[in-house]
């Protein structure tokens, strides 16, 4: 490290909510940013805000502001992780006024493959299960 520079974690600079969710039987790491569409409900259930699934599936802004923009799912490329989206996610959520979620695929970032191959098939099933349980997403 160069003199005068300090190491700072990106997670401490960019607001976001680290979440762990079950998708296709894997414990998956995500980072979420809320853009002001609907207020996040209090409480958690396995890292997921209570009531989140019903609010998100409805496509409406429960704060009384009308229809919410569709949530956005950010998926990294090979060798990537949620850290690829830390500088983009908060701004995207704010501009679109919706929830933006970045996901670590199996075998990348903080999501371990848990005995499975980190393959396109494994990650395709993971994304399908994640979107089915927590979507829809654009």
């Amino acid at each position: 490290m160069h003199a005068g520079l300090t190491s700072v974690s990106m997670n401490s600079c960019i607001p976001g909510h680290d979440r762990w969710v079950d998708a296709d039987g894997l414990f998956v790491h995500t980072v979420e940013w809320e853009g002001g569409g609907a207020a996040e409900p209090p409480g958690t259930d396995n890292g997921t805000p209570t009531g989140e699934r019903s609010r998100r599936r409805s496509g409406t802004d429960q704060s009384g502001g009308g229809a919410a923009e569709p949530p956005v799912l950010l998926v990294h490329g090979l060798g990537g992780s949620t850290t690829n989206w830390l500088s983009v996610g908060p701004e995207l959520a704010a501009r679109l006024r919706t929830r933006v979620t970045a996901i670590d695929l199996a075998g990348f970032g903080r999501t371990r493959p848990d005995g499975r191959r980190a393959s396109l098939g494994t990650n395709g099933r993971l994304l399908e299960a994640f979107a089915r349980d927590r979507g829809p997403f654009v």
Side-chain angles (χ1 to χ4, degrees):
M1 185 171 300
H2 298 291
L5 296 178
T6 56
S7 174
V8 178
S9 166
M10 285 297 290
N11 286 329
S12 66
C13 298
I14 308 298
H17 301 284
D18 282 303
R19 305 224 190 273
W20 292 93
V21 297
D22 177 37
D24 194 39
L26 288 176
F27 204 43
V28 177
H29 174 252
T30 67
V31 179
E32 291 184 359
W33 300 272
E34 290 290 339
E40 190 170 340
T44 60
D45 179 18
N46 190 25
T48 304
T50 305
E52 179 177 20
R53 183 178 298 172
S54 61
R55 174 179 62 89
R56 290 181 178 175
R57 282 191 180 272
S58 70
T60 60
D61 179 346
Q62 300 298 315
S63 63
E69 293 295 325
V72 175
L73 179 61
L74 303 173
V75 181
H76 61 78
L78 292 176
S81 71
T82 53
T83 59
N84 294 112
W85 303 110
L86 294 179
S87 63
V88 177
E91 181 69 18
L92 192 57
R95 286 185 183 223
L96 295 176
R97 294 184 39 81
T98 192
R99 174 180 44 99
V100 172
T101 302
I103 186 171
D104 279 334
L105 297 174
F108 299 92
R110 295 170 67 188
T111 302
R112 301 294 168 240
D114 204 21
R116 301 179 193 190
R117 292 185 58 213
S119 67
L120 291 175
T122 296
N123 284 310
R125 287 185 295 278
L126 181 150
L127 288 171
E128 180 182 35
F130 186 82
R132 179 185 60 241
D133 294 343
R134 297 182 53 87
F137 292 99
V138 293

